[in-house]
Amino acid sequence: MSHLPWHSLSLNPLAAFGILLTLGVIGGQIANRAGRLPAITGYVLTGLIIGPASLHLLNQPLLSAADLFVNLALGLALFESGRRVDLHWLRVERTLLLTTLCYCLAVFAALCALLLQGGLGGQASSMMAALGMATSPIVILEMLRETRAEGQVSERLTTATALSSLLSVIVFAIALSSAHLQNQHSTEDAILSPAWLILGSSLLGLLAGLLAIALNRWLGSQQRQRQTVLLFGLIALLVGLSVMLNALPSLALLVFGLATRNLHGGHTVSEPGLLSGSHFFFVAFFVAAGAQLAPQALARPLATGPGLPAAALGHPHAVLVAAGPAKLPEPPARPVAGAGTQPAVRWQRHAIGYEHAGTGRGCQCL
């Protein structure tokens, strides 16, 4: 009987992905019904329970095999985040731009000071603080989707999230350049490396945007399903090319979204079909993020004092506070191919580069 398969059963990546989705949905629903908590909380706690730190139902190799789905989830979120930024509206509504810039710089300075006080080196502190400036587009977008939030504050929050992510990537590249110089790399390397990270990634995103506009115009507004497949393919291609060329996938995808929103002919690009079918990628992402957590490591940042989590988690609320007392101008409607215009609201998150649960993998993908 030793030749029968159940004597050597082991999970494969496809079964692991099924577990992520199935148990994630169950955990999210339990958190929502029993604890009146956001489903995201249930997804992350489910991952923590079944991950290597707890029941070990999913080990590290299986989680690594799920990276494809995690990267696609982040790619979809970052693209949608870029689509939320209307540059013409920002020229009029400069208060939002200045508010976002101020709270990002304040968070960067606070995190730098706290990390230095905690004993981290200057180079590592600046790069970590640059990552901490960004608000998670995947979290924000998922919360807006779950609560079906719409309105001026939601629109401002999603726009500020995209802007903070863009600023975070740029500051990270500058901090990386400074690290090159301090580590006695050549001046040429210190200049060319961040220049490629910023300019090369932006060029990839711009080319993807131009290609998407041209192909969607060629397909026509009646081919919604084909447009959805096309967008999904371009997002996956852009992630893959960015990694191959040692560029920043996060910046490339944000610019991709920006281009399809603001360039001439961008109204031909329609993404609702893509995003409505991408929720299962988001569930897998949050469960995988929870599985990557190590509870014993979570207590270490608290040693720097309560200011660190406050600075890291509190800064998105600056947009809501700033937006509260003022009379807000009406945000622009988002164009959808063949449907005139429709109100914008969906969702967002962080780990600006490519990870929400681990700094190591986040910096690697950045």
Side-chain angles (χ1 to χ4, degrees):
M1 299 290 288
S2 60
H3 64 282
L4 293 177
W6 55 72
H7 287 281
S8 58
L9 281 179
S10 60
L11 288 176
N12 56 38
L14 188 59
F17 183 63
I19 288 175
L20 288 177
L21 291 179
T22 305
L23 295 184
V25 169
I26 295 173
Q29 197 69 0
I30 291 174
N32 197 268
R33 290 183 179 181
R36 297 182 180 273
L37 297 171
I40 294 176
T41 305
Y43 301 153
V44 175
L45 289 177
T46 299
L48 183 61
I49 292 171
I50 66 176
S54 298
L55 297 181
H56 210 276
L57 184 59
L58 299 179
N59 55 30
Q60 194 58 51
L62 287 174
L63 291 174
S64 298
D67 276 352
L68 172 64
F69 306 105
V70 171
N71 288 344
L72 286 175
L74 283 167
L76 291 165
L78 287 163
F79 169 76
E80 167 65 0
S81 184
R83 287 275 295 175
R84 296 304 185 93
V85 180
D86 188 326
L87 297 180
H88 298 289
W89 179 55
L90 282 178
R91 291 175 189 170
V92 178
E93 184 48 41
R94 297 177 184 176
T95 304
L96 177 61
L97 190 61
L98 292 175
T99 302
T100 304
L101 179 63
C102 288
Y103 83 65
C104 283
L105 294 179
V107 169
F108 178 80
L111 286 177
C112 261
L114 288 167
L115 291 170
L116 287 171
Q117 182 184 359
L120 208 59
Q123 299 173 13
S125 295
S126 60
M127 287 189 283
M128 292 283 290
L131 294 176
M133 287 168 55
T135 306
S136 170
I138 192 168
V139 171
I140 299 300
L141 286 175
E142 179 64 17
M143 288 299 299
L144 292 180
R145 185 204 63 79
E146 182 180 338
T147 59
R148 300 178 182 177
E150 296 188 13
Q152 296 183 26
V153 174
S154 297
E155 189 66 28
R156 282 169 166 261
L157 180 59
T158 52
T159 301
T161 298
L163 293 175
S164 70
S165 298
L166 280 170
L167 188 59
S168 174
V169 172
I170 294 171
V171 174
F172 180 86
I174 295 172
L176 186 62
S177 174
S178 175
H180 277 302
L181 285 174
Q182 293 184 24
N183 288 328
Q184 298 181 345
H185 288 273
S186 66
T187 305
E188 182 180 349
D189 287 342
I191 296 174
L192 291 180
S193 177
W196 167 248
L197 287 176
I198 296 174
L199 299 179
S201 303
S202 299
L203 180 61
L204 284 174
L206 180 60
L207 292 175
L210 292 171
L211 182 60
I213 292 172
L215 290 177
N216 274 274
R217 184 180 294 160
W218 175 70
L219 285 173
S221 60
Q222 303 302 317
Q223 304 295 328
R224 293 293 183 85
Q225 292 183 340
R226 290 185 175 88
Q227 288 179 345
T228 298
V229 175
L230 173 67
L231 267 183
F232 186 88
L234 287 175
I235 290 171
L237 177 62
L238 188 56
V239 172
L241 285 177
S242 299
V243 173
M244 288 169 56
L245 298 173
N246 291 323
L248 295 173
S250 52
L251 180 56
L253 287 158
L254 285 167
V255 173
F256 181 24
L258 272 166
T260 57
R261 174 66 185 269
N262 295 281
L263 290 180
H264 177 69
H267 63 278
T268 62
V269 178
S270 175
E271 85 282 8
L274 174 71
L275 295 172
S276 63
S278 62
H279 179 57
F280 70 94
F281 285 112
F282 299 160
V283 175
F285 166 79
F286 286 113
V287 179
Q292 295 280 359
L293 293 175
Q296 64 274 17
L298 292 178
R300 294 174 189 167
L302 298 178
T304 61
L308 180 57
L313 298 176
H315 68 280
H317 299 289
V319 177
L320 303 180
V321 172
K327 182 180 179 181
L328 305 180
E330 191 68 26
R334 301 173 62 232
V336 176
T341 59
Q342 71 174 29
V345 174
R346 244 171 233 110
W347 153 122
Q348 288 183 340
R349 39 235 189 42
H350 167 106
I352 175 66
Y354 260 39
E355 170 82 304
H356 189 70
T359 303
R361 283 176 51 207
C363 292
Q364 175 186 354
C365 292
L366 272 167

